[in-house]
Amino acid sequence: MRVGVVTFPGSLDDGDARRALGLAGAEPVALWHGDVRLSAVDAVVLPGGFSYGDYLRCGAIARFAPVMERVIERAREGMPVLGICNGFQILCESHLLPGALVRNDHRKFVCRDQALRVESNTTAWTTAYAEGQEIVIPLKNGEGGFVADDPTLDRLEGEGQVVVRYLGSNPNGSYRDIAGIANEVGNVVGLMPHPEHAVEALTGPSTDGVGFFTSVIAGLVSA
Amino acid sequence: MARVVVDVMLKPEILDPQGQAVATALPKLGFDGIAAVRQGKRFELELDGDVTEERLAQIRNAAETLLSNPVIEDYTVRVEP
């Protein structure tokens, strides 16, 4: 099972994402932003960081990287894609996911272990969880406020496309406490918190993040 | 050489924490009477040659594709005299 992790200039969590995939049992494949081929990967993770220095808007430049043309094309064909933090921002800028991420309402960078509720376990990246399961994984962002207009939010809620929701106090002003969403089919998922930082007891607050990666592997094996 | 200016502003319904921070700082410095601040971006595009309707259409397309995110931002395009 080959899962690609794209490194953009300014990516930070590509190493951790590859490591998490390896621990979950996949073969992590390093992809470069300038790649025009996806080297036969079965799924792709867009990692956290500050691609292209967050110039213009977070994810706005990365969206036009050569590798993204193929990622967008394959995502529309059903390939699983997970965007974490900056990766979530890139997926929104690419219009693979609705809405946008804006500066935290309290204007400060937030870095903490965050409790979440898994609202949907039918996406390609969340089948390992129980619906309603509560997990704790790290959250770290300056522009993590999820915004969309009301009809879009209503549609996301109604169609079960809200994947994870913040528990406790809202860390960044995200509308309706939304921490992560999926596209209509469920192969594309984006979230601000970092499951790849919660895969080993030594370095994470929990190992609750592993499920994102085992989910996609299980789905690909049975496909 | 012609200059085209693209102004990009957050849509009114989107919270603007940067603008709010500026609005909070102004009275502390003695600049009173400012009710609210919204912060945006201004792009100055220098063109080779003259402005034509076709090129303006291209720039509007660029404003919608790259310079702004239509989900959260509005833009205006104008030619600088």
Side-chain angles (χ1 to χ4, degrees), chain A residues 56-57 60-61 63-64 92-93 95 98-107 147-148 175, chain B residues 8 10 13-15 17-18 20-21 24 41 43 64-73:
Chain A
L56 191 59
R57 294 179 305 279
I61 312 278
R63 170 200 171 185
F64 296 103
C92 287
E93 283 283 342
H95 307 305
L101 284 312
V102 299
R103 194 169 297 268
N104 297 348
D105 57 353
H106 49 74
R107 307 195 289 262
V147 298
Y175 290 178
Chain B
V8 176
L10 277 175
E13 66 269 27
I14 303 288
L15 182 73
Q18 291 188 108
Q20 284 182 346
T24 314
K41 296 192 190 94
F43 299 88
E64 197 153 329
T65 312
L66 178 65
L67 303 183
S68 78
N69 177 352
V71 176
I72 47 168
E73 292 167 325

Side-chain angles (χ1 to χ4, degrees), chain A residues 202-222:
Chain A
L202 179 66
T203 52
S206 69
T207 56
D208 291 348
V210 183
F212 281 84
F213 308 103
T214 53
S215 294
V216 75
I217 294 165
L220 291 166
V221 168
S222 66

Side-chain angles (χ1 to χ4, degrees), chain A:
Chain A
M1 205 53 54
R2 291 163 57 83
V3 181
V5 178
V6 178
T7 299
F8 298 94
S11 292
L12 293 179
D13 302 322
D14 40 343
D16 274 22
R18 289 197 302 271
R19 184 171 168 75
L21 284 160
L23 286 169
E27 179 192 343
V29 179
L31 298 173
W32 184 237
H33 66 109
D35 288 349
V36 290
R37 289 202 185 81
L38 290 188
S39 34
V41 295
D42 304 295
V44 165
V45 174
L46 303 177
F50 299 86
S51 58
Y52 301 91
D54 274 353
Y55 287 0
L56 191 59
R57 294 179 305 279
C58 304
I61 312 278
R63 170 200 171 185
F64 296 103
V67 74
M68 282 306 295
E69 270 185 46
R70 289 293 294 144
V71 170
I72 292 168
E73 196 179 293
R74 293 281 307 279
R76 294 212 169 105
E77 292 164 8
M79 179 183 72
V81 177
L82 177 68
I84 304 168
C85 198
N86 189 221
F88 185 13
Q89 295 163 337
I90 295 168
L91 290 175
C92 287
E93 283 283 342
S94 304
H95 307 305
L96 284 174
L97 292 175
L101 284 312
V102 299
R103 194 169 297 268
N104 297 348
D105 57 353
H106 49 74
R107 307 195 289 262
K108 294 187 192 74
F109 194 94
V110 60
C111 182
R112 70 189 201 194
D113 297 331
Q114 176 66 48
L116 304 171
R117 186 171 56 238
V118 179
E119 301 280 14
S120 167
N121 66 349
T122 58
T123 78
W125 299 90
T126 52
T127 52
Y129 299 98
E131 197 182 312
Q133 188 176 338
E134 297 187 3
I135 61 175
V136 176
I137 62 178
L139 174 76
K140 45 170 196 170
N141 66 69
E143 302 194 30
F146 179 74
V147 298
D149 56 25
D150 278 327
T152 304
L153 292 167
D154 290 341
R155 200 182 69 236
L156 287 171
E157 304 260 17
E159 300 294 321
Q161 289 173 247
V162 176
V163 178
V164 275
R165 213 185 292 268
Y166 297 115
L167 291 175
S169 66
N170 187 322
N172 47 28
S174 291
Y175 290 178
R176 304 193 193 182
D177 299 332
I178 290 173
I181 58 170
N183 66 349
E184 284 168 19
V185 188
N187 64 309
V188 179
V189 169
L191 77 167
M192 284 316 288
H194 289 260
E196 82 285 15
H197 293 331
V199 294
E200 283 177 297
L202 179 66
T203 52
S206 69
T207 56
D208 291 348
V210 183
F212 281 84
F213 308 103
T214 53
S215 294
V216 75
I217 294 165
L220 291 166
V221 168
S222 66

